[in-house]
Amino acid sequence: MSENSIYDLAYRGKTADVKALINQDERLITARDSSGRMLIHWAALGGHDELVRYLLSLDVPVDPTDDTDMTPLILAASAGREKVVNTLINEGADINAKTQQGHSALQYAASKNWKSICALLLEKDANVNITDNRGATPLHRAASKGNIAIVKLLLEHGKKLYIDNKDADGNTALHLTCEENRVDEAKLLVGNGANLTIKNKQEKTPLDLASPGLRRALQDICSEKEKSS
């Protein structure tokens, strides 16, 4: 993307310049760059809500895909552009759209620790258990990264959340937290019912992957839960 191209101008939020160029050539409204992106992709990624709204007012589709199936919503969610995410959702964007790798807006937001965007997506009925091509859910992403605020948020959707979903390697979110020694996240998952005995494809349980100290802490939580039940 060359500097001062119309796509670069859209990414930088140069709304007046973009409007002037569109007035000269209306084909630019839906023209695509070398990566298959339209102006709305770049405006969304840059977080420029006014420009996104302007483009939508010109009947630009809300969900065009680039050459990796990225939509404006997925780009905005990944970049932490909450205002644009809200606008695109309200204009009918597909909240569960996926890239070619199976990554959704919620997965990116969970991975990047954008709590308010995760909350917004979940409020609008984003699939809390959506999986990528490797079988990873938003919970896998947030837990493995140590994004505890996101883990808590996902757990608040307890009735819908499948806490023990396995990825392509047979790992649950708890496996990943134990392997990464994410102590607080592991405790939180076990306290909310995550299974300590599930085996992954290497026949390892979460406890097998945990450090000695974490293993004891998780076993203690299970013991306390059994006593109180």
Side-chain angles (χ1 to χ4, degrees):
M1 184 172 61
S2 63
E3 192 174 345
N4 297 325
S5 74
I6 191 168
Y7 303 105
D8 179 65
L9 293 171
Y11 177 61
R12 292 191 286 134
K14 303 293 185 182
T15 302
D17 295 335
V18 171
K19 286 182 177 180
L21 288 169
I22 286 173
N23 287 338
Q24 292 172 26
D25 185 355
E26 288 188 355
R27 292 174 299 179
L28 292 170
I29 295 170
T30 54
R32 294 178 182 269
D33 66 7
S34 59
S35 60
R37 291 183 180 178
M38 296 182 185
L39 293 173
I40 193 170
H41 284 99
W42 290 110
L45 183 61
H48 306 297
D49 191 57
E50 179 190 349
L51 182 51
V52 168
R53 288 174 181 274
Y54 169 70
L55 292 167
L56 290 170
S57 76
L58 301 177
D59 292 328
V60 170
V62 73
D63 272 331
T65 54
D66 69 9
D67 60 11
T68 63
D69 287 346
M70 281 271 195
T71 64
L73 176 63
I74 295 173
L75 288 168
S78 175
R81 310 301 192 184
E82 185 178 355
K83 206 169 182 180
V84 173
V85 167
N86 192 53
T87 292
L88 292 169
I89 291 172
N90 288 337
E91 291 295 326
D94 180 359
I95 207 161
N96 292 315
K98 293 182 180 184
T99 66
Q100 288 174 6
Q101 292 182 311
H103 299 141
S104 69
L106 181 58
Q107 284 182 317
Y108 273 111
S111 186
K112 299 279 188 75
N113 208 21
W114 301 123
K115 184 183 176 183
S116 58
I117 290 178
C118 285
L120 177 58
L121 292 166
L122 290 167
E123 283 165 17
K124 300 294 185 178
D125 292 326
N127 180 0
V128 71
N129 300 303
I130 198 164
T131 56
D132 64 19
N133 295 358
R134 296 278 306 152
T137 64
L139 184 63
H140 281 97
R141 303 289 289 273
S144 65
K145 289 283 186 74
N147 298 341
I148 195 162
I150 308 298
V151 174
K152 287 177 180 176
L153 184 68
L154 295 168
L155 289 169
E156 286 168 12
H157 290 71
K159 287 187 178 176
K160 295 179 183 176
L161 180 71
Y162 302 143
I163 199 169
D164 291 321
N165 257 12
K166 291 183 176 184
D167 66 15
D169 297 312
N171 289 316
T172 64
L174 183 57
H175 277 94
L176 300 181
T177 55
C178 288
E179 189 171 39
E180 298 285 340
N181 201 35
R182 305 284 189 191
V183 174
D184 292 338
E185 290 77 11
K187 287 179 177 179
L188 187 60
L189 289 171
V190 171
N192 280 273
N195 192 322
L196 280 167
T197 63
I198 291 175
K199 292 182 178 180
N200 63 18
K201 287 189 174 177
Q202 293 182 320
E203 295 295 305
K204 301 284 189 183
T205 68
L207 286 180
D208 292 330
L209 300 174
S211 67
L214 179 55
R215 188 180 308 127
R216 283 193 299 273
L218 298 181
Q219 288 170 327
D220 286 347
I221 292 171
C222 283
S223 297
E224 288 300 318
K225 286 181 74 178
E226 286 171 10
K227 286 177 189 174
S228 61
S229 62

